[in-house]
């Protein structure tokens, strides 16, 4: 029979003292449920688009958001909950889609014709507010976020 030596298994390095731990690259993200209260809506059956951002990149365009949620509305105010990463800096941009086309409708001057708003009720004179104006830190005391659309 053909006999071959079996390679030795690696042993613990003396500096390791046998206290090695498995390596994992799984990140456990803890979340907080944050209540959001939106007022100033048109009293019509429609959808409210809620875009959540974790940085200024792409803010406030929904296609660049971390997540976008659609909430059905048929009253002048609505309350809902978002599960957001704990200890994160977050900004929210919302609009009420009155014509059902899935996007914020604007007039010929580029001004929105549908109700919209931002966390912190952030506003800017020209164009949308910056992410830093709308940003808030998420923790268990964050609720509720009040947003008034105009």
């Amino acid at each position: 029979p053909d006999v071959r030596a079996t390679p030795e298994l690696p042993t613990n390095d003396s500096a390791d003292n046998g206290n090695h731990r498995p390596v994992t690259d799984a990140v456990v993200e803890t979340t907080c449920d944050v209540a959001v209260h939106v007022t100033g809506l048109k009293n019509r059956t429609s959808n409210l688009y809620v875009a959540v951002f974790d940085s200024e990149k792409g803010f406030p365009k929904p296609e660049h958001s971390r997540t976008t949620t659609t909430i059905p509305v048929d009253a002048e105010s609505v309350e809902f909950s978002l599960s957001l990463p704990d200890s994160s800096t977050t900004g929210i941009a919302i609009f009420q889609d009155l014509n059902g086309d899935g996007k914020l409708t604007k007039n010929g001057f580029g001004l929105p014709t549908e109700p919209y708003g931002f966390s912190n009720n952030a506003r800017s004179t020209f164009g949308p507010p910056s992410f830093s104006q709308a940003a808030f830190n998420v923790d268990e005391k964050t609720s509720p976020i009040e947003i008034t659309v105009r």
Side-chain angles (χ1 to χ4, degrees), residues 72-86:
V73 297
D74 60 0
E76 294 175 7
S77 69
V78 66
E79 285 192 39
F80 55 91
S81 183
L82 295 172
S83 185
L84 301 174
D86 192 13

Side-chain angles (χ1 to χ4, degrees), residues 12-37:
N12 286 338
D13 181 16
S14 60
D16 183 31
N17 296 328
N19 294 328
H20 54 279
R21 291 176 183 86
V23 177
T24 178
D25 50 8
V27 175
V28 177
E29 185 177 80
T30 58
T31 60
C32 287
D33 285 337
V34 176
V36 180
H37 182 226

